């Protein structure tokens, strides 16, 4: 798991208000802006895909907190926009 993805995941897990803001965002670009404003690095598609690939060998696993992949799933262009 990338450091960027890990940091974003932890921040969303630890801060319910931030997680709610990210979950209510209407677009990947808006999610990225919320994370940036909070000082959290925005994971790229490659970061998110690497996380999902790391779960491919897990049998019967389920994501009990769907906000994390949804929250950080943004386009590379949105993630790199300043």
């Amino acid at each position: 798991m990338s450091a960027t993805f890990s940091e974003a995941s932890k921040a969303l897990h630890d801060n319910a208000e931030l997680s709610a803001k990210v979950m209510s965002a209407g677009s990947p670009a808006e999610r990225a802006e919320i994370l940036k404003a909070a000082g959290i690095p925005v994971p790229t598609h490659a970061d998110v895909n690497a996380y999902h690939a790391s779960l491919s060998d897990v049998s019967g696993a389920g994501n009990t907190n769907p906000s994390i992949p949804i929250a950080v799933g943004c386009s590379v262009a949105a993630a790199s926009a300043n």
Side-chain angles (χ1 to χ4, degrees), residues 29 32-33 36 42 75-82:
E33 288 304 316
K36 286 181 196 177
V42 180
S75 70
V76 175
S80 63
N82 287 325

Side-chain angles (χ1 to χ4, degrees), residues 2-40:
S2 78
T4 302
F5 185 91
S6 181
E7 187 174 341
S9 296
K10 182 173 181 355
L12 292 170
H13 177 268
D14 294 347
N15 186 330
E17 184 179 337
L18 177 64
S19 182
K21 281 183 183 179
V22 169
M23 289 299 296
S24 67
S27 70
E30 187 179 350
R31 287 189 288 274
E33 288 304 316
I34 292 167
L35 290 174
K36 286 181 196 177
I40 300 164

Side-chain angles (χ1 to χ4, degrees), residues 44-75:
T44 64
H45 274 307
D47 294 328
V48 175
N49 289 342
Y51 168 75
H52 287 288
S54 72
L55 299 178
S56 65
D57 293 336
V58 179
S59 175
N63 183 356
T64 60
N65 186 354
S67 65
I68 293 172
I70 293 168
V72 298
C74 64
S75 70

